[in-house]
Amino acid sequence: MSGSTYTRRRLIQAGAGGAAAAGLATALPAQARKRRPRHADVVVVGAGYAGLTAAHRIAAAGKSVIVMEARHRVGGRAHNHKLPGGKWSELGATFVGPTQDHVIRLAKEMDVELFDTYNTGDNVYRQDGSNQTYSDNGPLGSVFGTAPPDPLVAGDVAATVARLDLMAESVPVDAPWTAQSAEEWDSQTLYTWVKSNSTASPRFMDLLQIATEPIFGAEARDISLLYTLFYIAASGNEKNQGTFERNFNTRGGAQQQRMFGGTQAPLNRIARRLGRKHVLLHAPARRIVQKKGGGVRVESDNFNVNGKRVIVAVPPPLAGRIRYDPGLSQNRDQLTQRMPMGTLIKVEVFYDRPFWRNSGYTGQGLSDEGPISATFDISPPDGKPGILMGFIGGDRARLWQTQGPKVRRARVLDELAKLYGPAALKPKEYIEVSWVKERWTRGCPVSVLGPGTLVGFGPAIRKPVGRIHWAGTETSTYWNGYMDGAVRSGERAAREVLREI
């Protein structure tokens, strides 16, 4: 493997789980206080893309690092599901795409190659009990992309997306709260803005719900307009302006490619290089002390780790559950209280083969009816087995979770049958993963910011508090909420601490 001079060591075995290390505000057991502490130049809390990227860069710079991970696996919101024959599916983060340069570079550095998401044929849009098929590669593909060219809402879709993209151009990705109209935009939700700037027909509002539920795990009424515009602006890089289309689309967008071996593969390889003494599992950070004489102490259940600096690389709601001594700044503490995780569930349904391909479907579907708002074909490259993945988010997820397992499964299969035919009713295997129930994640795919959060508390998102630095995709300027944002944040946090030690 290229890109590092530090010693390879055996990978700590990983299994099921959720995001990275953080802890509830509980007292540290006496045995942890008495045990001889460990030492490193930098302590990293969390072994997801942000934390392990930071650790990888710090180790490559010749400094010592210890990563503390609450779970019994690395990966955070990237979580592979092993299949027979060395194959896999992803129960968490799945796709990468154009302008996501940092995560793609990291994957290549770890010798993980990419392949195209299956995208041959027609997509399906189910609305008001009937299906519409369309191709993102057809005459209207350049206008609508993955969005359905529904003639009853096409005008609203085109006008709304164009206007949001234009407004997003004036939002600085590193400081959205400084945009000229920031206060006005952060005083309303995406829902209220759309209601005032479109026909707001029920059909169009349904489509808006279909868009926000899988992207944010939330409803349009939950999301600040300024945060939405920032999210759009962040869907690019330093040379390419972000657009809604790049965020939403498969071809030319964020869902264009996947990783051989799954999205957890690069992180497993980083952990192997760091070695078992430097990636500590079952080690939730319970308390972080900035010592009066300098340095930090990160306390877990069975041991402490001392360092010069610490990088907290976990979702904001989990970072807010760690005890800090001395306490955090008022704005930082208030910020984490205003960044709840989205509500998102993934279901994966396995078949002997991807039967929908023979019918001319891509496996990409949108629906306003059942629990699933969006589907994708996430079969292995050879198509064996065939796997349909569905997102259930926001209100749909909250309602769906109140039902029993048999009812939940039946509702999912019924919806897939309506989209792709009766063969969908006879799967080989069925899996559902509620990221809300994952103790060390508390939701997915990203923190959701309501009105007033960015303007009131945004400047605290990346600002170090003494010797504590912050990472995680929610702190990224580009591709916030995605793996690329997590990698960028880890690289930025590593640069910060390396300047100080």
Side-chain angles (χ1 to χ4, degrees):
M1 298 180 188
S2 61
S4 176
T5 57
Y6 59 88
T7 305
R8 299 187 193 183
R9 307 230 175 127
R10 190 163 67 91
L11 171 67
I12 300 170
Q13 293 301 312
L24 300 175
T26 57
L28 191 70
Q31 65 267 26
R33 294 195 296 269
K34 295 178 181 178
R35 187 163 297 185
R36 186 174 180 178
R38 307 181 190 201
H39 299 268
D41 290 322
V42 182
V43 186
V44 177
V45 177
Y49 263 99
L52 284 178
T53 295
H56 175 52
R57 300 305 179 202
I58 291 165
K63 302 297 183 180
S64 60
V65 62
I66 289 177
V67 182
M68 299 173 65
E69 166 59 51
R71 292 188 175 275
H72 60 287
R73 68 170 182 89
V74 302
R77 282 168 269 186
H79 183 196
N80 286 357
H81 173 57
K82 294 182 180 180
L83 302 174
K87 298 179 182 180
W88 74 95
S89 68
E90 294 98 345
L91 301 179
T94 306
F95 305 105
V96 297
T99 75
Q100 295 185 359
D101 311 309
H102 290 240
V103 68
I104 291 173
R105 181 178 64 204
L106 182 68
K108 291 181 178 179
E109 190 176 338
M110 293 295 114
D111 296 327
V112 174
E113 297 182 357
L114 307 181
F115 65 99
D116 290 340
T117 301
Y118 187 81
N119 196 31
T120 301
D122 288 337
N123 297 351
V124 182
Y125 173 46
R126 186 166 182 83
Q127 169 68 263
D128 291 341
S130 62
N131 290 356
Q132 176 186 358
T133 60
Y134 62 100
S135 172
D136 72 341
N137 202 29
L140 296 177
S142 60
V143 178
F144 294 100
T146 305
D150 183 345
L152 297 179
V153 297
D156 269 341
V157 170
T160 300
V161 169
R163 190 167 178 187
L164 288 171
D165 281 349
L166 182 62
M167 293 161 66
E169 291 180 8
S170 66
V171 176
V173 294
D174 59 341
W177 47 88
T178 66
Q180 184 174 356
S181 300
E183 187 169 344
E184 175 190 350
W185 290 341
D186 210 27
S187 298
Q188 56 188 306
T189 65
L190 175 60
Y191 179 87
T192 55
W193 181 86
V194 170
K195 289 281 284 187
S196 300
N197 291 274
S198 70
T199 63
S201 67
R203 197 174 181 95
F204 180 62
M205 299 308 288
D206 283 346
L207 189 57
L208 178 67
Q209 181 184 26
I210 290 171
T212 61
E213 287 176 344
I215 293 176
F216 298 101
E219 305 300 322
R221 67 169 186 270
D222 302 323
I223 308 166
S224 156
L225 175 60
L226 178 61
Y227 175 59
T228 305
L229 296 173
F230 159 69
Y231 214 77
I232 293 170
S235 300
N237 60 18
E238 290 80 359
K239 297 181 179 179
N240 296 273
Q241 173 66 37
T243 66
F244 174 86
E245 299 92 317
R246 189 180 294 116
N247 188 292
F248 191 76
N249 286 354
T250 298
R251 194 186 313 276
Q255 286 68 235
Q256 180 168 285
Q257 291 181 302
R258 297 171 59 202
M259 295 184 188
F260 278 102
T263 54
Q264 199 177 338
L267 302 181
N268 289 341
R269 295 182 180 187
I270 291 175
R272 181 181 294 119
R273 290 189 180 191
L274 291 168
R276 67 166 62 246
K277 292 183 179 180
H278 299 275
V279 181
L280 308 178
L281 303 182
H282 301 287
R286 304 294 188 181
R287 182 171 178 238
I288 296 177
V289 179
Q290 298 194 63
K291 296 183 287 187
K292 292 182 179 180
V296 298
R297 181 174 70 250
V298 184
E299 301 175 350
S300 190
D301 296 336
N302 299 309
F303 57 85
N304 301 334
V305 181
N306 292 328
K308 299 175 182 177
R309 298 263 163 171
V310 60
I311 296 172
V312 178
V314 298
L318 296 185
R321 286 176 165 86
I322 301 173
R323 293 172 58 196
Y324 298 90
D325 183 11
L328 300 179
S329 66
Q330 174 179 302
N331 282 355
R332 174 68 199 188
D333 186 49
Q334 290 275 297
L335 175 66
T336 57
Q337 295 179 49
R338 289 165 168 81
M339 296 185 68
M341 299 300 290
T343 302
L344 192 68
I345 297 167
K346 287 186 73 172
V347 293
E348 295 186 3
V349 189
F350 297 75
Y351 302 90
D352 287 323
R353 58 183 179 81
F355 63 87
W356 52 93
R357 296 183 184 180
N358 291 339
S359 300
Y361 296 129
T362 62
Q364 296 170 47
L366 302 172
S367 174
D368 76 334
E369 286 191 359
I372 296 174
S373 55
T375 69
F376 286 89
D377 179 338
I378 62 163
S379 308
D382 64 359
K384 299 176 183 178
I387 309 173
L388 281 173
M389 179 268 287
F391 287 116
I392 305 174
D395 285 346
R396 300 185 198 220
R398 286 184 279 272
L399 176 61
W400 188 73
Q401 285 184 105
T402 64
Q403 301 168 337
K406 291 184 179 179
V407 174
R408 294 199 304 267
R409 183 179 187 275
R411 289 196 63 199
V412 166
L413 297 183
D414 179 66
E415 185 175 6
L416 293 179
K418 290 176 179 176
L419 288 169
Y420 301 113
L425 296 172
K426 299 179 180 180
K428 292 175 55 180
E429 186 180 359
Y430 172 91
I431 296 175
E432 58 186 54
V433 179
S434 173
W435 284 91
V436 179
K437 295 181 179 179
E438 296 292 332
R439 181 182 180 188
W440 303 113
T441 313
R442 303 288 176 132
C444 235
V446 66
S447 287
V448 179
L449 277 64
T453 303
L454 280 174
V455 167
F457 305 94
I461 189 67
R462 287 180 294 276
K463 185 178 180 180
V465 179
R467 295 178 288 278
I468 302 173
H469 301 256
W470 311 104
T473 188
E474 285 84 3
T475 71
S476 185
T477 52
Y478 286 105
W479 287 109
N480 191 284
Y482 289 77
M483 290 180 287
D484 189 71
V487 172
R488 282 174 171 270
S489 77
E491 292 170 341
R492 185 256 312 149
R495 290 193 298 269
E496 288 178 2
V497 299
L498 288 170
R499 285 195 297 264
E500 301 293 337
I501 62 175

